[in-house]
Amino acid sequence: IRYFFYNGGNDSMDTCNKISKFMQKAGYECRVMGVPKTIDNDLYATDHCPGYGSAAKYVATATMEVYHDARVYDTPMVCVLEVMGRNAGWLTAATALAAYKGAGPDLIYLPEIVFDMDKFIADCKKVYEKSNGKLIVAVSEGIKDKDGKYISEYGSDLAKMKDSFGHAQLGGVGQVLANVLKKELGCKARAIEFSLLQRCAAHWASKTDVEEAFMAGRKAVQFAVEGITDHMVAYERTVKDGKYECNYVLVNLSEVANTEKKIPREWINADGTGLTQDFIDYALPLIEGESKPPIEDGLPRFAKLKKVLYKAD
């Protein structure tokens, strides 16, 4: 094996970096390349990550659909949308794209901002009373209070469990907050967890994202064949004649490993409950276009790869 490509996010790039260093120490010639892939969009040194544009497109679209469904009835309707995001709120921020189109959440809470339950209740009461009982809130699964405690832990033992990388297993914050609002507002409050759907909804993938992801893999192979190793392919944003363009550059794996990129504070509004136009301008080009999957009998046709085990000579 002379070429090794590792596709993934922060932890994967850390693993890729360790493998590269091990190969070098062992004196084994192998070109190791990292290929970014994470809907969390939190990889350092790249403008954005493969997968994010498609996931953001789905999150924004689903949010718009929830918004319109919530307004079908005249009765009060409170919805708490729980979106993936441990320490960085890029995916939850995508709900702001729905708000940009006039059909999004009233309030957005991200991990980048310390969560205060009293302020949250006050924010929600203000909107609820002003909008005749209609309220939609979007929250990242990883929001924490001032003591660093996950809000999901307020009503669940789930966050005390660990995943294979030693991270807290998150989920359930939407229901925790829905229960709080049900008590405080005295009305029905529904928690909607996008869960796995936000990362596997291939039927609504961004064409821009799909094309860039393909090129990221292609560039990784091209660079490796040219003799480059111990690097990750990264996206570099440029604007040419007023139009968005993506270039492919190299970043040393040691710079990327276990380093998170969070949403800039200046892209979050002063109150910490929404996004500014800077984020909208950043995200819109990434969700452009529709990647249409092949359809068979009215359903998507998925590729089935045959697994062939490698046998050393």
Side-chain angles (χ1 to χ4, degrees):
I1 299 174
R2 298 300 177 185
Y3 297 91
F4 182 86
F5 301 91
Y6 206 129
N7 189 212
N10 300 88
D11 293 313
S12 297
M13 290 306 110
D14 179 51
T15 301
C16 190
N17 184 45
K18 290 176 179 176
I19 291 174
S20 178
K21 296 296 186 288
F22 174 79
M23 295 290 194
Q24 293 173 28
K25 185 177 180 180
Y28 183 84
E29 183 183 350
C30 183
R31 293 163 189 173
V32 180
M33 293 293 296
V35 185
K37 174 198 67 70
T38 172
I39 63 171
D40 291 332
N41 199 42
D42 59 352
L43 270 173
Y44 178 74
T46 182
D47 178 77
H48 56 285
C49 301
Y52 176 67
S54 295
K57 188 183 185 79
Y58 173 82
V59 167
T61 302
T63 299
M64 294 176 75
E65 292 170 340
V66 170
Y67 174 93
H68 288 294
D69 183 84
R71 278 156 176 75
V72 170
Y73 307 102
D74 294 329
T75 55
M77 174 68 82
V78 174
C79 294
V80 180
L81 310 181
E82 179 181 335
V83 188
M84 285 181 175
R86 180 183 305 279
N87 298 318
W90 294 101
L91 267 184
T92 307
T95 62
L97 296 174
Y100 167 74
K101 301 302 290 184
D106 301 288
L107 302 164
I108 301 173
Y109 296 90
L110 309 174
E112 284 82 355
I113 303 296
V114 173
F115 186 85
D116 182 281
M117 187 65 79
D118 291 333
K119 180 180 180 300
F120 168 76
I121 294 172
D123 290 341
C124 291
K125 283 185 176 180
K126 184 178 180 180
V127 173
Y128 183 80
E129 293 167 0
K130 185 178 179 180
S131 61
N132 197 29
K134 301 295 185 183
L135 171 66
I136 297 179
V137 180
V139 299
S140 290
E141 62 180 355
I143 54 175
K144 300 177 184 178
D145 62 20
K146 60 182 177 60
D147 297 318
K149 182 178 180 179
Y150 288 111
I151 304 305
S152 59
E153 292 185 77
Y154 281 37
S156 171
D157 289 330
L158 184 62
K160 298 176 184 178
M161 300 174 65
K162 306 295 182 181
D163 63 16
S164 58
F165 290 106
H167 303 312
Q169 186 173 322
L170 303 182
V173 65
Q175 191 60 60
V176 169
L177 295 179
N179 290 340
V180 169
L181 293 179
K182 180 180 180 181
K183 177 182 177 181
E184 294 291 334
L185 301 178
C187 70
K188 180 180 179 180
R190 185 191 305 271
I192 301 175
E193 185 178 350
F194 287 170
S195 191
L196 297 182
L197 295 175
Q198 59 204 301
R199 76 181 188 197
C200 67
H203 66 284
W204 196 230
S206 156
K207 183 179 180 181
T208 297
D209 181 36
V210 172
E211 292 176 347
E212 289 180 350
F214 177 84
M215 283 302 298
R218 183 174 183 174
K219 286 291 183 179
V221 173
Q222 178 184 322
F223 287 136
V225 171
E226 291 174 356
I228 295 172
T229 187
D230 202 33
H231 282 75
M232 182 192 82
V233 175
Y235 290 167
E236 181 181 72
R237 179 185 300 236
T238 59
V239 178
K240 186 176 181 180
D241 298 327
K243 293 185 178 181
Y244 159 86
E245 288 188 358
C246 180
N247 297 322
Y248 304 88
V249 296
L250 289 168
V251 180
N252 196 294
L253 281 172
S254 60
E255 294 182 41
V256 185
N258 280 329
T259 304
E260 291 179 314
K261 178 188 69 178
K262 299 185 179 182
I263 298 179
R265 180 60 183 89
E266 59 269 24
W267 288 11
I268 305 172
N269 67 16
D271 197 40
T273 58
L275 283 298
T276 68
Q277 186 62 39
D278 288 329
F279 171 77
I280 303 299
D281 294 339
Y282 165 84
L284 281 178
L286 311 183
I287 67 171
E288 280 292 331
E290 290 69 54
S291 179
K292 299 178 181 179
I295 301 297
E296 189 175 86
D297 296 329
L299 296 170
R301 178 172 58 81
F302 294 96
K304 296 180 181 179
L305 302 180
K306 183 179 180 180
K307 295 182 179 180
V308 180
L309 294 177
Y310 170 77
K311 294 182 179 180
D313 295 331

